[in-house]
Amino acid sequence: MLNESIFMSKKMDWETPNQLFDKLNHEFSFDIDVCATEENKKCNKYFSVDDDGLSKQWSGICWMNPPYGREIKQWVRKAYQETIVQGNADKVVCLVPVRSDTKWWHEFIMNAKEIRFLNKRLSFEGSNNKAPFAACIVVFCKHNKQSVKILVEDISRIK
């Protein structure tokens, strides 16, 4: 059964599942959450809605779970720009819906270093149901000029 609350919700800032973030943080050691609220931040240092992370320069190793509405393209473009184009951030690791039928996917995601397709649908923090869409982890790296590496991330043990 589809989760109508996520699919039709006006809420766009679904919180990353803690176990998934902890697994990725263990691998990447994030410096900043570039797109957060006080309630859903995953790092001590973060850009809030008031900070407007899209207008800031990013640096270090960044975590990004962007709003899942129309503005997602702006956030993915920013991750691409801050790493591959400008080289300000060392890495930006993103949790995004799989939208391989969109222009932003092909313009930006396909230029990432890695795309890790999750092998099951996520249950976001604060939701009792699984998301009605597939998600993936996208890793942008500073000045990456390599072809994208496609992987499957096993999250079967993550609730």
Side-chain angles (χ1 to χ4, degrees):
M1 180 173 167
L2 288 180
N3 179 356
E4 297 296 323
S5 67
I6 292 177
F7 192 67
M8 298 178 68
S9 178
K10 292 183 188 209
K11 180 178 174 63
M12 295 293 137
D13 59 344
W14 291 98
E15 183 177 349
T16 306
N18 290 325
Q19 288 182 311
L20 175 61
F21 178 80
D22 291 346
K23 178 180 178 180
L24 293 168
N25 192 37
H26 180 75
E27 178 181 353
F28 292 102
S29 300
F30 297 113
D31 297 311
I32 186 169
D33 186 336
V34 295
C35 185
T37 65
E38 176 65 31
E39 297 76 30
N40 71 14
K41 68 183 179 188
K42 294 297 178 185
C43 300
N44 289 332
K45 184 177 177 187
Y46 66 99
F47 292 141
S48 70
V49 173
D50 291 337
D51 295 324
D52 183 17
L54 288 173
S55 70
K56 304 288 187 198
Q57 181 175 308
W58 300 357
S59 63
I61 301 173
C62 307
W63 168 249
M64 183 182 85
N65 178 2
Y68 283 19
R70 294 184 188 271
E71 61 189 274
I72 194 169
K73 177 181 179 177
Q74 298 170 323
W75 289 97
V76 174
R77 178 190 300 121
K78 178 74 169 174
Y80 169 82
Q81 291 285 333
E82 289 291 328
T83 52
I84 295 172
V85 176
Q86 297 169 347
N88 296 325
D90 296 318
K91 289 183 182 165
V92 178
V93 180
C94 316
L95 172 60
V96 296
V98 175
R99 297 285 187 255
S100 59
D101 59 338
T102 63
K103 187 175 179 180
W104 62 263
W105 181 275
H106 291 276
E107 278 185 77
F108 308 116
I109 301 294
M110 292 306 296
N111 287 297
K113 181 175 182 182
E114 293 180 8
I115 303 171
R116 300 178 184 185
F117 291 95
L118 304 182
N119 69 342
K120 71 174 194 171
R121 291 188 178 183
L122 290 175
S123 292
F124 289 96
E125 294 294 320
S127 177
N128 295 324
N129 300 301
K130 299 225 180 272
F133 51 81
C136 63
I137 304 299
V138 176
V139 181
F140 290 100
C141 291
K142 190 176 209 172
H143 301 302
N144 181 54
K145 301 294 181 198
Q146 303 171 2
S147 298
V148 66
K149 181 191 264 187
I150 308 292
L151 306 164
V152 175
E153 183 84 12
D154 183 2
I155 61 166
S156 56
R157 292 191 171 102
I158 294 175
K159 297 177 185 174

